Amino acid sequence: MSDIWPTELRVSQDRKTLTVAFEGGTRHELPAEMLRVMSPSAEVQGHSPAQRKTIGGKKNVQIMQVEPVGNYAVRIVFDDMHSTGIFTWTYLDELGREKEARWAAYLAELEEKGLSR
């Protein structure tokens, strides 16, 4: 179970951003594209670090739905029909705190593999 607890989960009007706020005042704005390409699903992460996939072509992906999963996470349904990632509160907080570094690493991976956003 997570030590952090969300006080707000909101999808922007254009469906391109998930805002998540936690007790204590921490707040993150997470782009749909980032959430999609860093989904914790086996499809993206594989079953080991060696199997992790770099997902390109998701620049315009949108969030269709955010569904609760118990008391610890949400499932995000994207408009490309990807919906298998379970985003825990801890993972959403990590993505927010490490947003710049993770995004820079993702862009470098895309370039290295010749993929586009």
Side-chain angles (χ1 to χ4, degrees):
M1 178 105 169
S2 174
D3 290 341
I4 59 174
W5 192 255
T7 55
E8 178 186 8
L9 281 170
R10 185 170 34 88
V11 178
S12 63
Q13 190 104 21
D14 66 2
R15 314 210 59 72
K16 294 267 190 192
T17 306
L18 176 68
T19 299
V20 58
F22 294 99
E23 287 178 344
T26 304
R27 180 182 202 80
H28 305 297
E29 304 234 339
L30 300 169
E33 178 185 11
M34 180 181 179
L35 291 167
R36 174 61 181 91
V37 302
M38 296 181 189
S39 169
S41 68
E43 175 192 326
V44 175
Q45 298 301 326
H47 296 285
S48 72
Q51 292 180 341
R52 191 177 63 76
K53 293 183 178 80
T54 303
I55 308 291
K58 299 300 176 183
K59 185 176 183 178
N60 296 312
V61 75
Q62 294 181 337
I63 298 167
M64 286 178 46
Q65 216 171 328
V66 178
E67 305 168 343
V69 177
N71 291 330
Y72 66 96
V74 289
R75 177 188 323 276
I76 300 175
V77 181
F78 297 92
D79 66 353
D80 66 354
M81 304 321 289
H82 178 76
S83 66
T84 57
I86 305 293
F87 292 80
T88 65
W89 309 138
T90 302
Y91 186 58
L92 288 171
D93 187 47
E94 281 173 20
L95 286 178
R97 284 186 287 108
E98 300 169 5
K99 184 172 160 182
E100 285 74 24
R102 286 181 182 234
W103 190 248
Y106 169 70
L107 294 177
E109 263 183 46
L110 285 181
E111 189 170 329
E112 182 184 305
K113 295 180 178 183
L115 299 171
S116 65
R117 286 179 56 207

